[in-house]
Amino acid sequence: MKKINSILLVDDDDIINYLNKIIITRMDIALNVESVRSGDMALEYLKKITVEQNQQPELILLDINMPRMDGWQFLEEYKNIKHEFLKEPIIVMFTTSINPDDREKARHIVEVSGFKCKPLSEQILNELLLEFPELTN
Amino acid sequence: MNLDLLTSHIIESSNDVIISISLDGNINYCNYATVKNYGYAKEELLDKPYHILLPQEKLAELAKIMESLMFGEYIDTLESIRLSKDQKRIKVSVVFSPVKNNMGKLIGFSIIERRLTEYRKAESRSQALIETAPDAMVIVNNCGQIILVNGQAEKLFGYTRNELLGQDIEILIPDRFLDKHSSHRKSFFSNPHTRGMGRDMELWGKKKNGEEFPVEVSLGPLRTEETLLVSAAIRDISERKYAEEKFKRLLESAPDPMVIVDQNGAITLINGQTENLFGYSRDELLGQQIELLIPGKFRAQHPEYRKKFFQNPKLRPMGMNLELFGLKKNGEEFPVEISLSPIQEKDSMLVSAAIRDISDRKYIKQLEQKNRELEQFAYIASHDLQEPLHTVKSFVQLLKTDYHNQLDHQAQQFLSFIFQSTSRMEKLIYGLLEYSRIGKQKQLSLVDCNKLLKEVIDDLHAKIVEAKATIHVDHLPTIDAYKTELWQLFQNLLSNAIKFRKQDVDPIIHISCIQNNNESTFSIQDNGIGIQSKFFDKIFIIFQRLHFREDFEGTGIGLAQCKKIVELHGGKIWLESNPGMGSNFLFTI
């Protein structure tokens, strides 16, 4: 099984990012795990990374509620830069929200491929690997 | 008795005037009836020209007749006028005949004149008859000429009888209806039938002075042997119209949609509010069954209810806890309250229904209920959530102190993360608790904002000193408010103004108030970091934060709380700001 090249975590809570990094690292499914703390930081990161293509994340776990620029706003902006990727990353909304409206809203955004609820666990990651076999092929 | 004597008796005893004239037109004989009818003595007439009995305008007629008679033509009985000695005009029927001698030679003319008393009597009989009618009566011949009117008609239209007789009926009709009227009249004559009053036609009469007035007219054909007449009974309905208008205006001024229904369930009157509520126009509703406005599932029983109401009509006020529904033109059903009250008309019973759309009220009630439940939920949830949280925190604390030496660096870091997270959760829950508690103990009182703000500033003393903040407070009003909540509001806004300061600029905060029209607009102006306008809405939503926690401490509850407090007072909160230019938070109370 191939490892995921890079995973980008977007969450304003640094403790959560820290925890999620530990979980992903222990499963040993990714070569690289990066984290940023808001939508604008994620955009900045992606713009930089498109220049250095080999670092491009294959999976993005995107929180919704963040200061400065939330998940939805990020997606709006992301539309404008996605064409710069050779292969678009898989974006999964990753949130504490159990509000069905959010899930519904996500379903109507083409850039979003999945919707998972926090907290991150081995089980959730396994589900993602099953849902998106292209990540490990 | 000899024949001559008998003839003489017959002639003298006749009620008809019998006159004989010579060829030159002088009277050579007249009977006693002549004396009786015209008031002349026989001697005054004999050897006088016959035309002294004629009015001026009939002289030509006479000349013509004489000529015809000379020519041996037969003259029909004709109607003419004669003058009595005292110059009274007498309507007569006249028969002229030539008088010939034994030789057949024309020696003169006989004239037999009969007063048209019988005819007059007949006329006055119909006159007497129409005088008894309660309404103004006008009888018209088939040419549309008025041939008979009663006193009521004279009074109603302001004409005398003589001014009306012989005139076209159109004299009584406003000009704007003239075109239509003559064609109506013709079609009536071609198919004469009785037409009753009040056929929902807007009819108008015109008085001699030009004044117009609403009328109801019933028409009846009146056949005589010779011709077809029309009798028209005309009723002035100004009073009723006025009353109706007054009633309609009253109806229009009612706050609720009103529908007036007759005993058969037909809609007879509505107001504009009804049009608006149900989406039908007036024309679409008038005459329709009231059931049109009732949803299908209730429609079938309704006529039965209606019947019961009319059997025992009495006022039924709103809010009888009946679950009633209306149906709009677009098919939408909506909850209503209906009050019914009977209206006794002269000969029938109507019912007026005031209909109140209570969708909003129902909706608001549901919303209030939901809100209460939600507040209750948040309150209980946040309360109960604190318990296990405290337990977790306490055990982490225990681990940290008791096992400090046995834990490696990573374990200690984990523990510190747990501690940080639980502390944060504690704050969040506390904030939620505070938020849901706003307005729980409502107690409006007069609050002197100057005093209140002094307390708030005292309370924030440490923060103010630490931030080197300067606070200017203008003179503030005393207002009716919930004191605890208002205190919280000022405290939140003031601590925000201190908190979101620029790193290198000491905060200067200005608190002021403008009062007009019973409304106070407070302003808390700072020289801090400012806010982008796209976040103006977001910041008032609970748990929404614009900054990372380590930059600006907070839970994202403060402004949500402010909004709730301002709204509790029936006011608005908003801000004016630009990044780097400071913020001005304004609210009304």
Side-chain angles (χ1 to χ4, degrees), chain B residues 62-81:
Chain B
L62 179 65
K64 239 160 121 191
I65 290 167
M66 299 304 272
E67 194 183 308
S68 302
L69 286 167
M70 295 287 202
F71 276 87
E73 285 169 19
Y74 173 77
I75 305 292
D76 261 340
T77 306
L78 62 108
E79 280 182 17
S80 193
I81 307 286

Side-chain angles (χ1 to χ4, degrees), chain B residues 37 60 100 111 129 150 165 175 219 226 252 280 285 322 328 347 357 406 525 563:
Chain B
N37 277 295
K100 294 171 183 172
I111 305 156
L129 206 62
N150 64 359
L165 293 180
D175 298 347
L219 297 177
E226 304 86 30
E252 286 301 332
Y280 285 102
L285 284 180
L322 296 168
K328 297 189 184 180
D347 41 5
D357 180 0
Q406 295 162 52
Q525 167 88 57
K563 186 165 191 267

Side-chain angles (χ1 to χ4, degrees), chain B residues 460-514:
Chain B
L460 293 172
H461 182 73
K463 278 188 184 172
I464 293 169
V465 170
E466 185 211 329
K468 299 199 188 86
T470 316
I471 298 173
H472 300 290
V473 185
D474 285 3
H475 181 74
L476 300 178
T478 297
I479 56 172
D480 241 341
Y482 303 103
K483 191 180 174 191
T484 321
E485 278 78 9
L486 194 64
W487 192 89
Q488 183 80 56
L489 175 62
F490 277 117
Q491 205 212 29
N492 284 352
L493 290 175
L494 204 55
S495 33
N496 275 353
I498 298 168
K499 180 161 63 175
F500 296 103
R501 62 181 179 266
K502 289 180 190 159
Q503 260 178 346
D504 47 355
V505 182
D506 290 345
I508 300 170
I509 298 157
H510 190 152
I511 299 167
S512 59
C513 178
I514 300 166

Side-chain angles (χ1 to χ4, degrees), chain B residues 67-313:
Chain B
E67 194 183 308
S68 302
L69 286 167
M70 295 287 202
F71 276 87
E73 285 169 19
Y74 173 77
I75 305 292
D76 261 340
T77 306
L78 62 108
E79 280 182 17
S80 193
I81 307 286
R82 295 295 173 260
L83 283 180
S84 64
K85 190 181 175 187
D86 55 4
Q87 297 299 303
K88 244 192 217 137
R89 294 163 70 87
I90 297 164
K91 217 169 183 182
V92 291
S93 72
V94 190
V95 182
F96 286 90
S97 315
V99 178
K100 294 171 183 172
N101 65 9
N102 297 340
M103 318 282 286
K105 194 176 154 197
L106 184 68
I107 55 167
F109 309 100
S110 75
I111 305 156
I112 301 174
E113 295 172 350
R114 175 177 295 175
R115 276 189 166 226
L116 287 173
T117 33
E118 283 312 306
Y119 172 78
R120 290 252 294 280
K121 258 186 201 155
E123 184 192 61
S124 59
R125 206 177 297 134
S126 37
Q127 184 72 51
L129 206 62
I130 65 170
E131 289 299 347
T132 64
D135 294 316
M137 297 284 299
V138 175
I139 302 203
V140 174
N141 67 14
N142 57 2
C143 303
Q145 283 176 298
I146 299 170
I147 59 166
L148 207 56
V149 297
N150 64 359
Q152 289 85 312
E154 291 178 283
K155 221 160 72 191
L156 182 59
F157 288 96
Y159 288 100
T160 66
R161 190 171 312 243
N162 289 335
E163 286 174 313
L164 288 175
L165 293 180
Q167 296 291 337
D168 287 343
I169 181 70
E170 277 79 11
I171 192 178
L172 303 179
I173 292 168
D175 298 347
R176 60 201 157 101
F177 298 109
L178 288 185
D179 290 356
K180 278 190 199 153
H181 190 265
S182 57
S183 69
H184 280 167
R185 182 157 52 77
K186 277 172 200 140
S187 76
F188 182 85
F189 273 103
S190 66
N191 175 27
H193 56 280
T194 303
R195 198 196 72 193
M197 293 215 176
R199 292 266 312 274
D200 298 331
M201 285 192 287
E202 288 268 317
L203 299 175
W204 293 80
K206 186 176 79 177
K207 299 192 181 188
K208 188 180 177 184
N209 64 11
E211 188 186 315
E212 294 180 11
F213 59 104
V215 293
E216 260 180 12
V217 178
S218 72
L219 297 177
L222 202 67
R223 274 175 219 284
T224 68
E225 273 174 36
E226 304 86 30
T227 182
L228 176 66
L229 304 175
V230 179
S231 78
I234 302 152
R235 187 174 298 167
D236 180 3
I237 56 169
S238 311
E239 286 281 318
R240 205 181 73 201
K241 274 266 166 186
Y242 179 69
E244 259 177 37
E245 280 305 312
K246 217 164 77 181
F247 184 62
K248 274 185 190 168
R249 273 203 300 278
L250 201 69
L251 215 59
E252 286 301 332
S253 69
D256 293 318
M258 303 276 294
V259 176
I260 305 218
V261 173
D262 71 14
Q263 209 140 3
N264 301 318
I267 299 170
T268 63
L269 209 56
I270 63 162
N271 60 3
Q273 290 81 312
T274 306
E275 291 178 287
N276 294 340
L277 179 58
F278 286 94
Y280 285 102
S281 73
R282 203 170 292 257
D283 291 345
E284 287 174 308
L285 284 180
L286 293 180
Q288 296 294 322
Q289 289 298 111
I290 184 67
E291 280 76 21
L292 179 69
L293 303 179
I294 296 170
K297 52 181 181 281
F298 306 107
R299 200 172 287 158
Q301 308 103 284
H302 193 262
E304 191 55 36
Y305 293 146
R306 210 174 63 217
K307 233 168 81 192
K308 276 193 191 138
F309 179 84
F310 278 111
Q311 276 163 8
N312 179 22

Side-chain angles (χ1 to χ4, degrees), chain A residues 18-31:
Chain A
Y18 177 76
L19 180 67
N20 290 349
K21 265 187 198 167
I22 292 174
I23 293 168
I24 293 169
T25 310
R26 287 197 180 160
M27 278 181 75
D28 196 21
I29 53 168
L31 294 172

Side-chain angles (χ1 to χ4, degrees), chain A residues 13 15 18 37 65 67-68, chain B residues 413 417 424 535 545 550:
Chain A
D13 192 332
I15 298 179
Y18 177 76
R37 298 187 52 201
N65 190 6
R68 290 165 49 152
Chain B
Q413 200 177 19
F417 283 155
R424 189 173 142 228
F535 295 125
R545 299 169 38 81
E550 59 270 26

